[in-house]
Amino acid sequence: MNNHFDYVLEIMDRNRKRVGQLPARINFEPASEAAAFGAQRTAHPSVHHPGRRMTIEPVPHATAGSPFCGGFRVVIEADGMDPFMREFSSDYFRAAAVDGSAELVKKGLLRDGDPFHYLVAAYPRTAAPAAPSRIVVRELVKTLPLREGRLSELTAQSVSFGECTDADAPVYIPQVVIEQANALTERAGDRET
């Protein structure tokens, strides 16, 4: 997900007098998932494209002017296709504004329980130098051994795990593989393995 903007909340008192400015701590994942589900519901081709890109863009505010925004949109793009877009209003920032107002109450700039207004501003991020990659990807081509056998014999020797229905295709994992995976996981401790 690409987001090239920092979002800031302008908090104002009931008379619309500016009280403070706070960074908007926003999780855009739920919005991007909602946009992807919307694209799936309309059978938009970009949602299944392997080269798809998601971008968060501010939507200009109807009256306040730049840098204020009336919300944001999630854009799903893929080469050679029209983009899919879903817009979210500034209500998406409400929880962040409420959390931020608590900081202003602690500083004495607002009183607890006072009504307040907020505007969302979007500022372009300055490009940071690219960090060197810490991940190296190598392709290892390894042919898997095949062995002759009957599916009924494998099923008779197996232990079922999880919920199975007749429509499910069976997957057989040798016990030694499960034991090796468990041993690697235990040795790794809190590292992802």
Side-chain angles (χ1 to χ4, degrees), residues 25 55-56 94 108 123 132 147 162 164 192:
R25 295 179 182 93
T55 305
I56 305 293
R94 184 181 311 243
Y123 297 98
R147 62 181 166 174
C164 300
E192 184 178 344

Short mmCIF file of all heavy atoms in Angstrom, two decimals, residues 25 55-56 94 108 123 132 147 162 164 192:
data_model
loop_
_atom_site.label_atom_id
_atom_site.label_comp_id
_atom_site.label_asym_id
_atom_site.label_seq_id
_atom_site.Cartn_x
_atom_site.Cartn_y
_atom_site.Cartn_z
N ARG A 25 -2.88 9.53 13.77
CA ARG A 25 -2.38 8.14 13.81
C ARG A 25 -3.48 7.24 13.27
O ARG A 25 -4.41 6.89 13.97
CB ARG A 25 -2.00 7.77 15.24
CG ARG A 25 -0.83 8.58 15.75
CD ARG A 25 -0.46 8.23 17.19
NE ARG A 25 0.64 9.05 17.64
CZ ARG A 25 0.48 10.20 18.31
NH1 ARG A 25 -0.74 10.63 18.59
NH2 ARG A 25 1.52 10.91 18.69
N THR A 55 -3.04 2.61 -3.50
CA THR A 55 -2.53 3.91 -3.10
C THR A 55 -3.59 4.65 -2.30
O THR A 55 -4.77 4.58 -2.62
CB THR A 55 -2.16 4.75 -4.35
OG1 THR A 55 -1.25 4.00 -5.16
CG2 THR A 55 -1.52 6.06 -3.97
N ILE A 56 -3.14 5.33 -1.23
CA ILE A 56 -4.02 6.18 -0.43
C ILE A 56 -3.80 7.62 -0.92
O ILE A 56 -2.67 8.10 -0.96
CB ILE A 56 -3.65 6.10 1.06
CG1 ILE A 56 -3.66 4.66 1.56
CG2 ILE A 56 -4.56 7.00 1.90
CD1 ILE A 56 -4.99 3.99 1.58
N ARG A 94 -12.21 10.18 12.98
CA ARG A 94 -12.88 10.58 14.22
C ARG A 94 -12.22 9.99 15.46
O ARG A 94 -11.96 10.71 16.43
CB ARG A 94 -14.36 10.18 14.19
CG ARG A 94 -15.13 10.66 15.41
CD ARG A 94 -16.57 10.21 15.34
NE ARG A 94 -17.12 10.55 14.04
CZ ARG A 94 -18.11 11.39 13.83
NH1 ARG A 94 -18.68 11.98 14.84
NH2 ARG A 94 -18.54 11.64 12.62
N GLY A 108 -4.49 21.41 29.05
CA GLY A 108 -5.33 22.52 29.46
C GLY A 108 -5.85 23.37 28.32
O GLY A 108 -6.40 24.45 28.54
N TYR A 123 -0.24 16.48 4.03
CA TYR A 123 1.02 17.10 3.60
C TYR A 123 1.86 16.06 2.87
O TYR A 123 2.07 14.96 3.40
CB TYR A 123 1.79 17.65 4.79
CG TYR A 123 1.04 18.74 5.51
CD1 TYR A 123 0.30 18.48 6.65
CD2 TYR A 123 1.09 20.05 5.03
CE1 TYR A 123 -0.39 19.49 7.30
CE2 TYR A 123 0.40 21.06 5.68
CZ TYR A 123 -0.34 20.78 6.82
OH TYR A 123 -1.02 21.78 7.46
N PRO A 132 19.10 0.21 2.06
CA PRO A 132 19.51 -1.02 1.39
C PRO A 132 18.62 -2.18 1.83
O PRO A 132 18.21 -2.24 2.98
CB PRO A 132 20.96 -1.23 1.84
CG PRO A 132 21.12 -0.38 3.06
CD PRO A 132 20.11 0.71 2.97
N ARG A 147 6.27 -40.86 -6.06
CA ARG A 147 6.24 -42.29 -5.80
C ARG A 147 4.88 -42.84 -6.19
O ARG A 147 3.87 -42.16 -6.08
CB ARG A 147 6.59 -42.62 -4.36
CG ARG A 147 5.67 -42.06 -3.36
CD ARG A 147 6.09 -42.40 -1.95
NE ARG A 147 5.33 -41.55 -1.07
CZ ARG A 147 5.34 -41.62 0.21
NH1 ARG A 147 6.09 -42.50 0.80
NH2 ARG A 147 4.61 -40.83 0.93
N GLY A 162 -8.37 -31.30 11.39
CA GLY A 162 -9.23 -30.17 11.03
C GLY A 162 -10.56 -30.65 10.50
O GLY A 162 -10.87 -31.85 10.49
N CYS A 164 -13.06 -31.59 7.76
CA CYS A 164 -12.97 -32.12 6.39
C CYS A 164 -14.37 -32.42 5.86
O CYS A 164 -15.22 -32.91 6.58
CB CYS A 164 -12.16 -33.43 6.38
SG CYS A 164 -10.48 -33.23 6.97
N GLU A 192 10.17 -15.27 13.62
CA GLU A 192 9.25 -15.90 12.66
C GLU A 192 9.99 -16.95 11.88
O GLU A 192 11.12 -16.73 11.41
CB GLU A 192 8.70 -14.83 11.71
CG GLU A 192 7.66 -15.38 10.77
CD GLU A 192 7.08 -14.30 9.87
OE1 GLU A 192 7.25 -13.11 10.18
OE2 GLU A 192 6.46 -14.67 8.86
#
